[in-house]
Amino acid sequence: MGFTNKVQLITYPDSLGGGLAALHDVLRHDFPGLFPGGVHILPPFPSSGDRGFAPLDYERISPEFGTWEDLQRIGAGTPIMLDVMVNHMSRQSAPVQDFLSRGSASPYADMFITPDKVWRDGPPSEADLARLALRRASPFSRYRVGEDGREVTLWTTFGRQDPSEQVDLDWRSPAYRRFIGDVLQGLHRRGVSLVRLDAIGYVVKKPGTDCFFVQPDIYEFLRWIRGLADGMRIEILPELHARPELQEALGAEGYWTYDFILPYAILEALLRGEPSLLRRHLGRRSPRQFTMLDCHDGIPLKPDLDGLYDPASARAVAQACGDRGGNFSRIVSPSHRDPDGFDVHQIRCTYYSALGESDERYLAARAIQLFAPGVPQVYYVGLLAGGNDAEAVQRTGEGREINRHNYTRREIQENVRRPVVRKLMDLLRFRNTYPAFDGSFRILPAHASELKMRWENGRDACTLAVEFPAGRASIEYLDRSGRTVSDLL
């Protein structure tokens, strides 16, 4: 089963009710039929860090979340998408631990990347290191290996600790290829038909480059893994935060991509009253994309919008979100920041809080997302129009926790009764069921401070009109009797 033109939910396994069994009940009783496009469950596997993104293995569901049977019950009603971290695995995983224990005698020894695998003529120069697209201060960690405890340097793109909990993998290694093949086979065996390839931009390491989405090598990797997935009837979604031209190149190769430009473009239009960036983007984007407003990391800015955003507007939008309690992830590499030093990678803030917790603006933002061509994905906090969780940030010291609140069943039921959530659920049902969304899309002429989006499919037609910055929005459509219905959000 591939991706369908219906709404998909993204959630942690324990964020809606406390576990997978509770999630199944919540989907049945609180959001029945709302997500026929699927449920993207963020990593439910045993993990040693990064809230699931440092996996120990893919054979087990972490007992705190439930079982494979719980996950398969959810999958009986809607497709399931899971992540495969193609770039790294946990330091505590069996392959890494075997290598740290046995060194070169380990059958997994060739899975990991030492600097000499990349720079074969000697250690990397300062210029080489300055060129790298970094996610932490250093791309390397040192580990003690073997009985003699000798120190070995391994590539570690991610991780807050030193040495890192997330160890990078060498995709050219036979052991890696066997490992990924086994992972996909295991997911296929359990009925998982949709897989997101997490952190794919960092897979290829090559001297003389920034080691990020290295072309054409990355397409060799993608062709290999797509060949595996196609043989198991698994649809893959590469996850790539990159400059617009790299996303476009990936899409031109026939892959689904994320529209990471849309969230900021909508936010800027509603906060600044200037929809020109949004209008330009909607007029040129590919329909073969996943749309989103929020996610477990943040609202993308750099490098996803490099060359597109106005620097003054970007600073003003970021400042507005900061004033409402948000925080930021930053570009680590100096060479990848703007010349004036602007370095916001992602804005960490719930979308509802970013818009000043205005129901009107929030529903307008969601309506724009749902009218944009592609597969709409709604993050669970956004589904409940959640506000910033400042207490979680203070408790954990992790800025991303601001948009990762875990809802109890009682909290879910209370939020579902809020008018903004009820209206959003109505919007999602309309997006899932109205036939025009399977037809053709266009932007209609409008005043500079307005946006009009229209879908047509035979006799069925619907138009969204939004005024900026107020966020006043209305949907006009033909019902089954041919009568024109106008609905003010």
Side-chain angles (χ1 to χ4, degrees):
M1 180 184 296
F3 300 127
T4 60
N5 185 29
K6 307 293 181 184
V7 182
Q8 186 179 96
L9 174 70
I10 181 169
T11 181
Y12 284 100
D14 58 339
S15 288
L16 289 174
L20 292 170
L23 175 60
H24 175 249
D25 289 342
V26 166
L27 290 172
R28 280 198 311 160
H29 297 296
D30 299 293
F31 307 113
L34 211 57
F35 300 105
V39 179
H40 178 186
I41 300 175
L42 296 168
F45 313 109
S47 171
S48 63
D50 200 10
R51 197 157 178 180
F53 286 87
L56 274 71
D57 67 62
Y58 295 84
E59 280 296 309
R60 297 174 292 146
I61 299 296
S62 186
E64 65 188 292
F65 303 140
T67 66
W68 277 111
E69 288 72 23
D70 294 326
L71 189 142
Q72 287 168 326
R73 275 192 286 274
I74 298 171
T78 190
I80 297 293
M81 180 154 69
L82 295 179
D83 289 88
V84 173
M85 277 53 79
V86 291
N87 177 71
H88 55 267
M89 65 171 58
S90 169
R91 174 189 177 185
Q92 308 302 326
S93 64
V96 177
Q97 286 296 303
D98 190 83
F99 169 68
L100 295 181
S101 174
R102 300 168 61 192
S104 60
S106 169
Y108 304 106
D110 72 335
M111 280 183 69
F112 311 110
I113 305 171
T114 52
D116 61 288
K117 271 191 168 185
V118 180
W119 291 280
R120 297 185 182 275
D121 297 329
S125 67
E126 290 298 320
D128 291 327
L129 296 176
R131 188 182 293 118
L132 298 179
L134 298 179
R135 294 300 301 272
R136 60 201 302 265
S138 169
F140 307 120
S141 294
R142 295 186 66 80
Y143 301 90
R144 294 197 175 276
V145 176
E147 293 183 0
D148 59 357
R150 65 187 177 90
E151 281 200 333
V152 172
T153 299
L154 298 179
W155 203 301
T156 53
T157 297
F158 299 94
R160 299 179 66 183
Q161 301 93 346
D162 195 18
S164 176
E165 278 296 308
Q166 292 157 291
V167 180
D168 284 33
L169 306 172
D170 183 356
W171 74 276
R172 294 188 183 276
S173 127
Y176 174 88
R177 296 193 172 212
R178 288 192 297 272
F179 172 76
I180 292 295
D182 289 345
V183 167
L184 292 178
Q185 191 63 247
L187 297 180
H188 169 65
R189 189 169 63 249
R190 294 177 173 97
V192 176
S193 59
L194 311 175
V195 168
R196 187 176 78 154
L197 305 180
D198 178 72
I200 192 172
Y202 299 92
V203 166
V204 176
K205 281 78 172 175
K206 188 173 183 178
T209 75
D210 62 2
C211 294
F212 181 81
F213 202 72
V214 179
Q215 302 181 72
D217 308 59
I218 189 65
Y219 296 119
E220 183 183 347
F221 169 81
L222 280 164
R223 284 191 293 271
W224 167 73
I225 199 167
R226 182 153 75 173
L228 289 181
D230 285 351
M232 303 173 200
R233 301 183 67 184
I234 290 175
E235 185 85 55
I236 60 172
L237 172 61
E239 183 258 350
L240 179 69
H241 285 282
R243 301 187 309 274
E245 63 269 22
L246 296 184
Q247 287 277 21
E248 290 171 5
L250 181 61
E253 290 288 326
Y255 295 95
W256 282 90
T257 61
Y258 279 101
D259 184 352
F260 286 135
I261 297 170
L262 188 65
Y264 173 83
I266 294 175
L267 189 61
E268 180 184 271
L270 287 166
L271 292 184
R272 305 281 290 167
E274 175 48 72
S276 57
L277 170 60
L278 175 60
R279 190 180 288 108
R280 287 197 306 272
H281 177 60
L282 289 170
R284 67 185 297 273
R285 63 186 293 281
S286 165
R288 193 175 168 82
Q289 291 187 302
F290 274 64
T291 68
M292 45 84 77
L293 294 186
D294 44 7
C295 69
H296 63 290
D297 283 335
I299 300 166
L301 215 168
K302 288 185 64 63
D304 302 273
L305 283 98
D306 279 357
L308 299 180
Y309 63 83
D310 173 74
S313 288
R315 286 182 180 275
V317 168
Q319 182 64 51
C321 294
D323 291 344
R324 289 166 175 164
N327 61 79
F328 313 103
S329 61
R330 305 283 185 175
I331 297 292
V332 176
S333 307
S335 61
H336 292 261
R337 300 170 187 158
D338 284 359
D340 65 356
F342 185 67
D343 64 350
V344 175
H345 172 48
Q346 292 177 340
I347 300 170
R348 296 166 174 169
C349 188
T350 75
Y351 216 85
Y352 187 61
S353 289
L355 290 171
E357 302 194 353
S358 161
D359 290 1
E360 191 170 44
R361 284 182 171 182
Y362 185 67
L363 290 170
R366 285 293 175 193
I368 295 168
Q369 179 202 1
L370 296 173
F371 266 69
V375 176
Q377 194 175 65
V378 178
Y379 184 57
Y380 76 99
V381 176
L383 173 65
L384 295 172
N388 286 336
D389 192 343
E391 188 277 330
V393 176
Q394 186 174 13
R395 184 181 69 251
T396 64
E398 169 58 75
R400 292 176 295 180
E401 289 296 314
I402 200 165
N403 194 27
R404 296 180 176 182
H405 182 73
N406 286 337
Y407 289 86
T408 64
R409 189 64 187 273
R410 181 175 180 178
E411 286 178 309
I412 295 167
Q413 292 169 346
E414 289 173 350
N415 277 280
V416 163
R417 291 194 289 269
R418 292 166 58 204
V420 63
V421 177
R422 302 300 301 178
K423 192 65 179 180
L424 175 56
M425 292 169 63
D426 289 342
L427 275 173
L428 298 180
R429 292 189 188 97
F430 181 72
R431 175 61 177 79
N432 284 327
T433 60
Y434 194 68
F437 290 105
D438 290 319
S440 59
F441 169 80
R442 60 193 171 108
I443 302 292
L444 299 180
H447 294 299
S449 61
E450 294 180 322
L451 175 69
K452 292 185 178 180
M453 307 166 71
R454 182 170 177 83
W455 282 92
E456 296 176 346
N457 186 10
R459 64 175 297 280
D460 296 298
C462 56
T463 301
L464 169 69
V466 182
E467 297 178 23
F468 301 96
R472 284 187 291 271
S474 63
I475 296 174
E476 186 175 277
Y477 65 97
L478 292 178
D479 67 11
R480 291 182 178 178
S481 66
R483 182 171 59 94
T484 298
V485 178
S486 186
D487 185 8
L488 186 66
L489 299 184

